[in-house]
Short mmCIF file of all heavy atoms in Angstrom, two decimals:
data_model
loop_
_atom_site.label_atom_id
_atom_site.label_comp_id
_atom_site.label_asym_id
_atom_site.label_seq_id
_atom_site.Cartn_x
_atom_site.Cartn_y
_atom_site.Cartn_z
N MET A 1 81.16 99.01 93.59
CA MET A 1 82.19 98.47 92.73
C MET A 1 83.29 97.79 93.51
O MET A 1 83.85 98.42 94.50
CB MET A 1 82.85 99.61 91.92
CG MET A 1 83.88 99.06 90.85
SD MET A 1 84.44 100.34 89.78
CE MET A 1 86.10 100.35 90.10
N ALA A 2 83.55 96.48 93.36
CA ALA A 2 84.44 95.84 94.12
C ALA A 2 85.97 96.14 93.73
O ALA A 2 86.36 96.51 92.75
CB ALA A 2 84.22 94.32 93.77
N LYS A 3 86.70 96.27 94.74
CA LYS A 3 88.08 96.69 94.68
C LYS A 3 88.88 95.32 94.45
O LYS A 3 88.52 94.34 94.83
CB LYS A 3 88.60 97.32 95.99
CG LYS A 3 87.81 98.51 96.46
CD LYS A 3 88.04 99.63 95.46
CE LYS A 3 87.22 100.83 96.19
NZ LYS A 3 87.19 101.90 95.20
N LYS A 4 89.83 95.58 93.65
CA LYS A 4 90.78 94.41 93.21
C LYS A 4 92.28 94.63 93.67
O LYS A 4 92.69 95.78 93.87
CB LYS A 4 90.79 94.34 91.62
CG LYS A 4 89.50 93.89 91.16
CD LYS A 4 89.45 93.60 89.70
CE LYS A 4 88.04 93.24 89.21
NZ LYS A 4 88.01 92.68 87.90
N CYS A 5 92.72 93.41 94.03
CA CYS A 5 94.10 93.41 94.46
C CYS A 5 95.13 93.98 93.32
O CYS A 5 95.03 93.71 92.22
CB CYS A 5 94.49 92.03 94.85
SG CYS A 5 96.25 91.81 95.38
N ILE A 6 95.97 94.94 93.79
CA ILE A 6 96.90 95.50 92.84
C ILE A 6 98.01 94.50 92.46
O ILE A 6 98.64 94.87 91.43
CB ILE A 6 97.49 96.80 93.38
CG1 ILE A 6 98.39 96.53 94.54
CG2 ILE A 6 96.52 97.81 93.75
CD1 ILE A 6 99.33 97.68 95.02
N ILE A 7 98.02 93.42 92.99
CA ILE A 7 99.11 92.40 92.65
C ILE A 7 98.52 91.37 91.80
O ILE A 7 99.00 91.13 90.60
CB ILE A 7 99.76 91.74 93.93
CG1 ILE A 7 100.58 92.98 94.63
CG2 ILE A 7 100.77 90.72 93.51
CD1 ILE A 7 101.07 92.58 95.98
N CYS A 8 97.45 90.57 92.20
CA CYS A 8 96.99 89.57 91.53
C CYS A 8 95.58 89.82 90.79
O CYS A 8 95.19 89.01 90.02
CB CYS A 8 96.91 88.33 92.34
SG CYS A 8 95.57 88.48 93.66
N GLY A 9 94.95 90.81 91.16
CA GLY A 9 93.65 91.08 90.51
C GLY A 9 92.46 90.39 91.17
O GLY A 9 91.44 90.58 90.79
N SER A 10 92.64 89.67 92.25
CA SER A 10 91.53 89.10 92.94
C SER A 10 90.84 90.17 93.68
O SER A 10 91.16 91.29 93.81
CB SER A 10 92.18 87.95 94.00
OG SER A 10 92.82 87.00 93.19
N LYS A 11 89.55 89.81 94.46
CA LYS A 11 88.85 90.67 95.13
C LYS A 11 89.63 91.16 96.36
O LYS A 11 90.16 90.23 97.02
CB LYS A 11 87.54 90.00 95.59
CG LYS A 11 86.67 90.79 96.51
CD LYS A 11 85.43 90.14 96.94
CE LYS A 11 84.74 91.13 97.88
NZ LYS A 11 83.64 90.39 98.47
N ALA A 12 89.89 92.38 96.61
CA ALA A 12 90.64 92.84 97.73
C ALA A 12 89.85 92.86 98.83
O ALA A 12 88.59 93.14 98.92
CB ALA A 12 91.08 94.35 97.27
N GLU A 13 90.45 92.68 100.00
CA GLU A 13 89.94 92.70 101.35
C GLU A 13 90.56 93.60 102.28
O GLU A 13 89.98 94.07 103.26
CB GLU A 13 90.06 91.27 102.00
CG GLU A 13 89.31 90.24 101.20
CD GLU A 13 89.62 88.81 101.59
OE1 GLU A 13 90.28 88.81 102.71
OE2 GLU A 13 89.11 87.87 100.97
N LEU A 14 91.83 94.17 101.95
CA LEU A 14 92.64 95.05 102.81
C LEU A 14 93.11 96.12 101.86
O LEU A 14 93.33 95.96 100.71
CB LEU A 14 93.69 94.21 103.37
CG LEU A 14 93.44 93.03 104.24
CD1 LEU A 14 94.56 92.15 104.45
CD2 LEU A 14 92.68 93.50 105.66
N CYS A 15 93.47 97.25 102.62
CA CYS A 15 94.03 98.41 101.91
C CYS A 15 95.04 99.15 102.85
O CYS A 15 94.88 98.94 103.94
CB CYS A 15 93.04 99.28 101.38
SG CYS A 15 92.07 100.24 102.59
N VAL A 16 95.97 99.92 102.17
CA VAL A 16 96.68 100.83 102.98
C VAL A 16 95.88 101.96 103.30
O VAL A 16 95.24 102.53 102.45
CB VAL A 16 98.05 101.14 102.27
CG1 VAL A 16 98.82 102.21 103.01
CG2 VAL A 16 98.88 99.97 101.82
N LYS A 17 95.88 102.31 104.49
CA LYS A 17 95.01 103.50 105.06
C LYS A 17 95.25 104.72 104.20
O LYS A 17 96.45 105.10 103.98
CB LYS A 17 95.28 103.78 106.54
CG LYS A 17 94.32 104.85 107.17
CD LYS A 17 94.62 105.06 108.61
CE LYS A 17 93.59 105.94 109.18
NZ LYS A 17 93.76 106.05 110.62
N ASP A 18 94.16 105.43 103.85
CA ASP A 18 94.24 106.70 103.10
C ASP A 18 95.10 106.60 101.76
O ASP A 18 95.81 107.37 101.39
CB ASP A 18 94.89 107.76 103.95
CG ASP A 18 93.93 108.03 105.15
OD1 ASP A 18 92.82 107.83 105.08
OD2 ASP A 18 94.47 108.54 106.16
N SER A 19 94.97 105.38 101.07
CA SER A 19 95.48 105.20 99.80
C SER A 19 94.65 104.36 98.91
O SER A 19 93.61 103.77 99.30
CB SER A 19 96.90 104.52 99.96
OG SER A 19 96.98 103.34 99.67
N SER A 20 95.10 104.19 97.65
CA SER A 20 94.30 103.34 96.79
C SER A 20 95.02 102.15 96.55
O SER A 20 94.74 101.50 95.45
CB SER A 20 94.04 104.06 95.44
OG SER A 20 95.21 104.53 94.91
N GLU A 21 95.80 101.58 97.41
CA GLU A 21 96.57 100.32 97.31
C GLU A 21 95.69 99.32 98.02
O GLU A 21 95.60 99.13 99.18
CB GLU A 21 97.83 100.47 97.90
CG GLU A 21 98.80 101.38 97.23
CD GLU A 21 100.17 101.47 97.83
OE1 GLU A 21 100.45 100.68 98.78
OE2 GLU A 21 100.91 102.50 97.42
N PHE A 22 95.07 98.37 97.21
CA PHE A 22 94.27 97.28 97.78
C PHE A 22 94.82 95.97 97.55
O PHE A 22 95.60 95.65 96.52
CB PHE A 22 92.87 97.37 96.99
CG PHE A 22 92.18 98.56 97.22
CD1 PHE A 22 92.29 99.67 96.21
CD2 PHE A 22 91.39 98.87 98.41
CE1 PHE A 22 91.60 100.81 96.41
CE2 PHE A 22 90.84 100.08 98.48
CZ PHE A 22 90.85 101.04 97.48
N TYR A 23 94.69 95.03 98.50
CA TYR A 23 95.35 93.67 98.47
C TYR A 23 94.27 92.63 98.89
O TYR A 23 93.33 92.86 99.77
CB TYR A 23 96.44 93.70 99.49
CG TYR A 23 97.63 94.72 99.20
CD1 TYR A 23 97.50 95.97 99.79
CD2 TYR A 23 98.54 94.37 98.34
CE1 TYR A 23 98.51 96.90 99.46
CE2 TYR A 23 99.56 95.40 98.01
CZ TYR A 23 99.53 96.62 98.62
OH TYR A 23 100.53 97.49 98.36
N CYS A 24 94.51 91.51 98.33
CA CYS A 24 93.69 90.34 98.81
C CYS A 24 94.61 89.78 100.09
O CYS A 24 95.67 90.22 100.20
CB CYS A 24 93.56 89.26 97.68
SG CYS A 24 95.20 88.42 97.28
N SER A 25 93.97 88.99 100.81
CA SER A 25 94.53 88.50 102.04
C SER A 25 95.90 87.78 101.85
O SER A 25 96.95 88.04 102.47
CB SER A 25 93.63 87.56 102.77
OG SER A 25 92.55 88.15 103.30
N SER A 26 95.98 86.89 100.75
CA SER A 26 97.21 86.18 100.55
C SER A 26 98.33 87.10 100.06
O SER A 26 99.48 86.98 100.52
CB SER A 26 97.04 85.03 99.62
OG SER A 26 96.54 85.48 98.25
N CYS A 27 98.12 88.06 99.19
CA CYS A 27 99.17 89.06 98.79
C CYS A 27 99.51 89.89 99.78
O CYS A 27 100.65 90.25 99.93
CB CYS A 27 98.56 89.81 97.46
SG CYS A 27 98.46 88.92 95.93
N ALA A 28 98.61 90.28 100.76
CA ALA A 28 98.88 91.10 101.83
C ALA A 28 99.94 90.35 102.77
O ALA A 28 100.85 91.02 103.22
CB ALA A 28 97.72 91.48 102.57
N GLU A 29 99.67 89.06 103.08
CA GLU A 29 100.43 88.32 104.01
C GLU A 29 101.86 88.08 103.35
O GLU A 29 102.81 88.14 104.02
CB GLU A 29 99.84 87.07 104.28
CG GLU A 29 98.64 87.03 105.18
CD GLU A 29 97.86 85.69 105.30
OE1 GLU A 29 98.47 84.68 104.79
OE2 GLU A 29 96.76 85.74 105.88
N GLU A 30 101.98 87.98 102.09
CA GLU A 30 103.15 87.81 101.34
C GLU A 30 104.05 89.10 101.28
O GLU A 30 105.28 88.95 101.35
CB GLU A 30 103.00 87.41 99.85
CG GLU A 30 102.58 85.94 99.68
CD GLU A 30 102.27 85.57 98.29
OE1 GLU A 30 102.79 86.24 97.39
OE2 GLU A 30 101.50 84.59 98.07
N ASN A 31 103.43 90.18 101.27
CA ASN A 31 104.10 91.54 101.11
C ASN A 31 104.31 92.40 102.26
O ASN A 31 104.99 93.35 102.20
CB ASN A 31 103.43 92.36 99.94
CG ASN A 31 103.63 91.52 98.60
OD1 ASN A 31 104.72 91.72 97.99
ND2 ASN A 31 102.54 90.88 98.15
N PHE A 32 103.61 92.01 103.34
CA PHE A 32 103.66 92.82 104.61
C PHE A 32 104.11 92.00 105.79
O PHE A 32 103.46 90.90 105.92
CB PHE A 32 102.31 93.51 104.88
CG PHE A 32 102.12 94.64 103.87
CD1 PHE A 32 101.22 94.29 102.75
CD2 PHE A 32 102.44 95.94 104.04
CE1 PHE A 32 100.93 95.25 101.88
CE2 PHE A 32 102.12 96.86 103.10
CZ PHE A 32 101.33 96.58 101.93
N SER A 33 104.99 92.46 106.60
CA SER A 33 105.44 91.61 107.66
C SER A 33 104.30 91.59 108.71
O SER A 33 104.15 90.70 109.57
CB SER A 33 106.66 92.08 108.30
OG SER A 33 106.55 93.51 108.72
N ASP A 34 103.56 92.70 108.76
CA ASP A 34 102.37 92.74 109.80
C ASP A 34 101.21 93.22 109.07
O ASP A 34 101.06 94.33 108.81
CB ASP A 34 102.74 93.55 110.90
CG ASP A 34 101.72 93.72 112.08
OD1 ASP A 34 100.73 92.98 112.00
OD2 ASP A 34 101.86 94.62 112.95
N ILE A 35 100.13 92.35 108.76
CA ILE A 35 99.04 92.94 108.13
C ILE A 35 98.02 93.70 109.02
O ILE A 35 97.12 94.32 108.52
CB ILE A 35 98.20 91.64 107.32
CG1 ILE A 35 97.70 90.73 108.46
CG2 ILE A 35 99.04 91.06 106.38
CD1 ILE A 35 96.63 89.73 107.81
N ASN A 36 98.38 93.76 110.27
CA ASN A 36 97.51 94.63 111.09
C ASN A 36 97.81 96.01 110.72
O ASN A 36 96.95 97.03 111.21
CB ASN A 36 97.91 94.34 112.58
CG ASN A 36 97.52 92.99 113.05
OD1 ASN A 36 96.46 92.54 112.65
ND2 ASN A 36 98.26 92.43 113.90
N MET A 37 98.81 96.48 110.00
CA MET A 37 99.12 97.71 109.53
C MET A 37 98.03 98.12 108.52
O MET A 37 97.75 99.31 108.22
CB MET A 37 100.33 98.01 108.92
CG MET A 37 101.64 97.65 109.91
SD MET A 37 103.25 97.81 109.20
CE MET A 37 103.12 97.73 107.53
N LEU A 38 97.35 97.14 107.82
CA LEU A 38 96.42 97.42 106.80
C LEU A 38 94.98 97.53 107.39
O LEU A 38 94.75 97.15 108.43
CB LEU A 38 96.52 96.28 105.80
CG LEU A 38 97.83 96.03 105.07
CD1 LEU A 38 97.67 94.86 104.21
CD2 LEU A 38 98.20 97.24 104.37
N VAL A 39 94.03 98.13 106.60
CA VAL A 39 92.73 98.42 107.08
C VAL A 39 91.95 97.67 106.19
O VAL A 39 92.01 97.39 105.01
CB VAL A 39 92.35 99.83 106.89
CG1 VAL A 39 90.90 100.16 107.26
CG2 VAL A 39 93.34 100.81 107.67
N LYS A 40 90.86 96.92 106.83
CA LYS A 40 89.84 96.08 106.08
C LYS A 40 89.08 97.21 105.32
O LYS A 40 88.73 98.20 105.84
CB LYS A 40 88.93 95.35 107.08
CG LYS A 40 89.68 94.14 107.55
CD LYS A 40 88.64 93.31 108.45
CE LYS A 40 89.33 92.17 109.10
NZ LYS A 40 88.50 91.34 109.82
N ILE A 41 88.77 96.87 104.07
CA ILE A 41 88.04 97.67 103.18
C ILE A 41 86.79 98.13 103.75
O ILE A 41 86.36 99.26 103.68
CB ILE A 41 87.90 97.08 101.69
CG1 ILE A 41 89.28 96.90 101.12
CG2 ILE A 41 86.97 97.89 100.83
CD1 ILE A 41 89.40 96.33 99.87
N GLU A 42 86.05 97.23 104.44
CA GLU A 42 84.78 97.45 104.92
C GLU A 42 84.88 98.52 106.00
O GLU A 42 84.10 99.42 106.16
CB GLU A 42 84.23 96.20 105.54
CG GLU A 42 82.89 96.29 106.14
CD GLU A 42 82.30 94.99 106.71
OE1 GLU A 42 82.30 93.92 105.89
OE2 GLU A 42 81.89 95.00 107.90
N GLU A 43 85.88 98.38 106.91
CA GLU A 43 86.07 99.43 107.90
C GLU A 43 86.37 100.74 107.34
O GLU A 43 85.97 101.83 107.84
CB GLU A 43 87.29 99.05 108.85
CG GLU A 43 86.97 97.84 109.60
CD GLU A 43 88.20 97.30 110.36
OE1 GLU A 43 89.28 97.84 110.39
OE2 GLU A 43 88.11 96.13 111.10
N ASP A 44 87.13 100.82 106.24
CA ASP A 44 87.53 102.04 105.61
C ASP A 44 86.27 102.72 105.02
O ASP A 44 86.07 103.88 105.16
CB ASP A 44 88.59 101.79 104.54
CG ASP A 44 89.31 102.99 104.06
OD1 ASP A 44 89.63 103.82 105.00
OD2 ASP A 44 89.55 103.30 102.91
N ALA A 45 85.34 101.93 104.46
CA ALA A 45 84.15 102.41 103.87
C ALA A 45 83.27 103.05 104.94
O ALA A 45 82.62 104.07 104.87
CB ALA A 45 83.35 101.26 103.13
N VAL A 46 83.19 102.27 106.14
CA VAL A 46 82.41 102.87 107.33
C VAL A 46 83.01 104.27 107.86
O VAL A 46 82.22 105.16 107.92
CB VAL A 46 82.32 101.83 108.44
CG1 VAL A 46 81.91 102.43 109.77
CG2 VAL A 46 81.62 100.68 108.05
N ARG A 47 84.41 104.24 107.81
CA ARG A 47 84.96 105.59 108.39
C ARG A 47 84.63 106.65 107.29
O ARG A 47 84.34 107.80 107.64
CB ARG A 47 86.45 105.22 108.39
CG ARG A 47 87.27 106.46 108.86
CD ARG A 47 88.78 106.15 109.03
NE ARG A 47 89.39 105.78 107.90
CZ ARG A 47 89.90 106.59 106.94
NH1 ARG A 47 89.79 107.79 107.05
NH2 ARG A 47 90.44 106.04 105.86
N LEU A 48 84.69 106.36 106.00
CA LEU A 48 84.33 107.38 105.00
C LEU A 48 82.93 107.80 105.06
O LEU A 48 82.72 109.04 105.05
CB LEU A 48 84.75 106.81 103.60
CG LEU A 48 84.38 107.83 102.43
CD1 LEU A 48 85.29 109.03 102.59
CD2 LEU A 48 84.77 107.00 101.13
N ASN A 49 82.13 106.91 105.38
CA ASN A 49 80.65 107.19 105.33
C ASN A 49 80.40 108.03 106.62
O ASN A 49 79.59 109.15 106.44
CB ASN A 49 79.85 105.82 105.52
CG ASN A 49 78.27 106.18 105.46
OD1 ASN A 49 77.88 106.95 104.61
ND2 ASN A 49 77.59 105.29 106.22
N ASN A 50 81.02 107.73 107.72
CA ASN A 50 80.76 108.65 108.86
C ASN A 50 81.31 110.03 108.64
O ASN A 50 80.74 110.97 109.11
CB ASN A 50 81.56 107.92 110.12
CG ASN A 50 80.90 106.74 110.60
OD1 ASN A 50 79.67 106.53 110.35
ND2 ASN A 50 81.67 105.97 111.32
N PHE A 51 82.47 110.16 108.01
CA PHE A 51 82.98 111.43 107.67
C PHE A 51 82.10 112.27 106.81
O PHE A 51 81.78 113.35 107.06
CB PHE A 51 84.38 111.23 106.86
CG PHE A 51 84.92 112.60 106.37
CD1 PHE A 51 85.50 113.42 107.23
CD2 PHE A 51 84.77 112.90 105.11
CE1 PHE A 51 86.04 114.71 106.70
CE2 PHE A 51 85.27 114.10 104.65
CZ PHE A 51 85.92 114.98 105.38
N VAL A 52 81.47 111.64 105.77
CA VAL A 52 80.45 112.33 104.92
C VAL A 52 79.23 112.70 105.63
O VAL A 52 78.68 113.88 105.65
CB VAL A 52 80.10 111.37 103.72
CG1 VAL A 52 78.92 111.90 102.87
CG2 VAL A 52 81.28 111.16 102.78
N GLU A 53 78.87 111.82 106.56
CA GLU A 53 77.55 112.13 107.43
C GLU A 53 77.89 113.29 108.28
O GLU A 53 77.07 114.17 108.55
CB GLU A 53 77.12 110.92 108.10
CG GLU A 53 76.46 109.96 107.26
CD GLU A 53 76.09 108.64 108.10
OE1 GLU A 53 76.31 108.58 109.26
OE2 GLU A 53 75.54 107.80 107.33
N ASP A 54 79.06 113.32 108.91
CA ASP A 54 79.42 114.43 109.81
C ASP A 54 79.42 115.71 109.03
O ASP A 54 79.10 116.85 109.55
CB ASP A 54 80.80 114.18 110.49
CG ASP A 54 80.69 113.14 111.56
OD1 ASP A 54 79.62 112.69 111.95
OD2 ASP A 54 81.82 112.62 111.92
N ARG A 55 79.94 115.67 107.84
CA ARG A 55 80.04 117.07 107.03
C ARG A 55 78.65 117.54 106.56
O ARG A 55 78.52 118.61 106.65
CB ARG A 55 80.92 116.66 105.73
CG ARG A 55 82.45 116.39 106.02
CD ARG A 55 83.09 117.74 106.45
NE ARG A 55 83.01 118.78 105.45
CZ ARG A 55 83.96 119.52 104.98
NH1 ARG A 55 85.09 119.46 105.57
NH2 ARG A 55 83.70 120.39 104.09
N ILE A 56 77.84 116.43 106.26
CA ILE A 56 76.46 116.86 105.94
C ILE A 56 75.78 117.60 107.09
O ILE A 56 75.11 118.59 107.05
CB ILE A 56 75.68 115.76 105.41
CG1 ILE A 56 76.21 115.34 104.10
CG2 ILE A 56 74.13 115.98 105.31
CD1 ILE A 56 75.69 113.94 103.42
N LYS A 57 75.93 116.89 108.29
CA LYS A 57 75.34 117.37 109.53
C LYS A 57 75.76 118.84 109.88
O LYS A 57 75.05 119.70 110.22
CB LYS A 57 75.46 116.53 110.75
CG LYS A 57 74.89 117.00 111.99
CD LYS A 57 74.31 115.88 112.76
CE LYS A 57 73.75 116.35 114.12
NZ LYS A 57 72.89 117.45 114.18
N SER A 58 77.14 119.02 109.71
CA SER A 58 77.78 120.26 109.98
C SER A 58 77.16 121.30 109.06
O SER A 58 76.93 122.47 109.55
CB SER A 58 79.30 120.08 109.81
OG SER A 58 79.93 121.33 109.59
N LYS A 59 77.10 120.99 107.88
CA LYS A 59 76.55 121.99 106.88
C LYS A 59 75.10 122.27 107.20
O LYS A 59 74.76 123.57 107.07
CB LYS A 59 76.66 121.40 105.49
CG LYS A 59 76.22 122.24 104.32
CD LYS A 59 77.22 123.43 104.22
CE LYS A 59 76.78 124.24 103.02
NZ LYS A 59 77.62 125.46 102.90
N GLU A 60 74.26 121.38 107.56
CA GLU A 60 72.91 121.55 107.91
C GLU A 60 72.77 122.42 109.21
O GLU A 60 71.98 123.44 109.24
CB GLU A 60 72.15 120.23 108.15
CG GLU A 60 72.00 119.55 106.93
CD GLU A 60 71.35 118.16 107.17
OE1 GLU A 60 71.35 117.75 108.38
OE2 GLU A 60 71.01 117.44 106.28
N ASP A 61 73.76 122.20 110.18
CA ASP A 61 73.71 123.09 111.44
C ASP A 61 74.09 124.52 111.04
O ASP A 61 73.53 125.45 111.53
CB ASP A 61 74.72 122.52 112.40
CG ASP A 61 74.31 121.17 113.02
OD1 ASP A 61 73.13 120.86 112.77
OD2 ASP A 61 75.09 120.42 113.53
N GLU A 62 75.03 124.75 110.14
CA GLU A 62 75.48 126.02 109.75
C GLU A 62 74.26 126.76 109.05
O GLU A 62 74.03 127.98 109.41
CB GLU A 62 76.60 125.98 108.74
CG GLU A 62 77.96 125.62 109.37
CD GLU A 62 79.09 125.64 108.34
OE1 GLU A 62 78.76 126.03 107.12
OE2 GLU A 62 80.04 125.15 108.72
N GLU A 63 73.53 126.11 108.23
CA GLU A 63 72.54 126.58 107.55
C GLU A 63 71.35 127.02 108.51
O GLU A 63 70.70 128.10 108.32
CB GLU A 63 71.89 125.70 106.48
CG GLU A 63 72.78 125.60 105.27
CD GLU A 63 72.47 124.56 104.19
OE1 GLU A 63 71.32 123.90 104.60
OE2 GLU A 63 73.03 124.37 103.26
N GLU A 64 71.11 126.27 109.55
CA GLU A 64 70.07 126.59 110.55
C GLU A 64 70.47 127.79 111.34
O GLU A 64 69.61 128.66 111.61
CB GLU A 64 69.83 125.35 111.48
CG GLU A 64 69.06 124.13 110.79
CD GLU A 64 68.99 123.00 111.90
OE1 GLU A 64 69.28 123.20 113.05
OE2 GLU A 64 68.56 121.93 111.49
N GLU A 65 71.77 127.87 111.71
CA GLU A 65 72.21 129.03 112.45
C GLU A 65 72.15 130.33 111.63
O GLU A 65 71.62 131.38 112.11
CB GLU A 65 73.62 128.81 112.83
CG GLU A 65 73.85 127.76 113.94
CD GLU A 65 75.40 127.58 114.22
OE1 GLU A 65 76.24 128.29 113.66
OE2 GLU A 65 75.71 126.73 114.96
N ASP A 66 72.40 130.15 110.29
CA ASP A 66 72.24 131.37 109.42
C ASP A 66 70.82 131.77 109.29
O ASP A 66 70.41 132.99 109.24
CB ASP A 66 72.84 131.12 108.08
CG ASP A 66 74.35 131.03 108.07
OD1 ASP A 66 74.93 131.51 109.00
OD2 ASP A 66 74.88 130.46 106.98
N SER A 67 69.93 130.80 109.26
CA SER A 67 68.45 131.02 109.18
C SER A 67 67.83 131.75 110.45
O SER A 67 67.13 132.69 110.35
CB SER A 67 67.82 129.68 108.77
OG SER A 67 66.25 129.95 108.84
N GLU A 68 68.46 131.21 111.57
CA GLU A 68 67.92 131.82 112.77
C GLU A 68 68.52 133.16 112.98
O GLU A 68 67.88 134.09 113.45
CB GLU A 68 68.39 130.90 114.00
CG GLU A 68 67.73 129.57 114.08
CD GLU A 68 68.19 128.69 115.21
OE1 GLU A 68 69.39 129.08 115.75
OE2 GLU A 68 67.83 127.66 115.30
N ASP A 69 69.70 133.53 112.46
CA ASP A 69 70.33 134.92 112.55
C ASP A 69 69.57 135.79 111.78
O ASP A 69 69.41 136.99 112.14
CB ASP A 69 71.78 134.83 112.15
CG ASP A 69 72.66 134.16 113.22
OD1 ASP A 69 72.24 134.04 114.30
OD2 ASP A 69 73.86 133.78 112.72
N ASN A 70 69.09 135.41 110.57
CA ASN A 70 68.30 136.24 109.66
C ASN A 70 66.89 136.51 110.13
O ASN A 70 66.31 137.42 109.84
CB ASN A 70 68.31 135.59 108.28
CG ASN A 70 69.60 135.57 107.56
OD1 ASN A 70 70.40 136.42 107.82
ND2 ASN A 70 69.85 134.66 106.66
N ASP A 71 66.27 135.57 110.87
CA ASP A 71 65.04 135.74 111.54
C ASP A 71 64.95 136.75 112.70
O ASP A 71 64.09 137.36 112.99
CB ASP A 71 64.42 134.33 111.99
CG ASP A 71 64.09 133.55 110.73
OD1 ASP A 71 64.04 133.97 109.58
OD2 ASP A 71 63.94 132.30 111.06
N ALA A 72 66.16 136.94 113.35
CA ALA A 72 66.12 137.69 114.49
C ALA A 72 66.15 139.17 114.28
O ALA A 72 66.26 139.77 113.30
CB ALA A 72 67.41 137.42 115.36
#
């Protein structure tokens, strides 16, 4: 699902880190003195995906350790 700018409703390209405030490039430039403070939505999605993958791997590792402990 495409994110929309909270100001104009256009397709959003940037967001405030760890928030649901999304902005298109032109609204971000108008409302922030430094758009480098914002995160590209694509980068945020990659960061979230990595977090989920790490959690899944951690859970799998715990299950393997539990299984090995029960076999011993």
Side-chain angles (χ1 to χ4, degrees):
M1 184 170 125
K3 305 293 184 188
K4 295 189 176 190
C5 176
I6 64 171
I7 296 172
C8 71
S10 298
K11 181 181 176 191
E13 300 169 5
L14 302 164
C15 69
V16 175
K17 186 176 180 179
D18 297 328
S19 104
S20 58
E21 296 178 13
F22 301 97
Y23 301 92
C24 66
S25 294
S26 60
C27 288
E29 288 175 6
E30 288 177 20
N31 291 283
F32 293 90
S33 59
D34 183 9
I35 63 169
N36 291 324
M37 298 179 344
L38 302 175
V39 177
K40 288 186 179 180
I41 292 175
E42 184 178 308
E43 292 172 3
D44 200 37
V46 168
R47 186 176 55 86
L48 179 60
N49 188 41
N50 290 340
F51 173 78
V52 170
E53 288 177 358
D54 289 345
R55 293 289 299 220
I56 291 170
K57 177 142 178 56
S58 156
K59 184 70 174 169
E60 290 172 350
D61 290 345
E62 285 178 14
E63 290 174 356
E64 285 179 13
E65 288 175 7
D66 289 345
S67 176
E68 290 174 359
D69 289 343
N70 289 335
D71 290 342

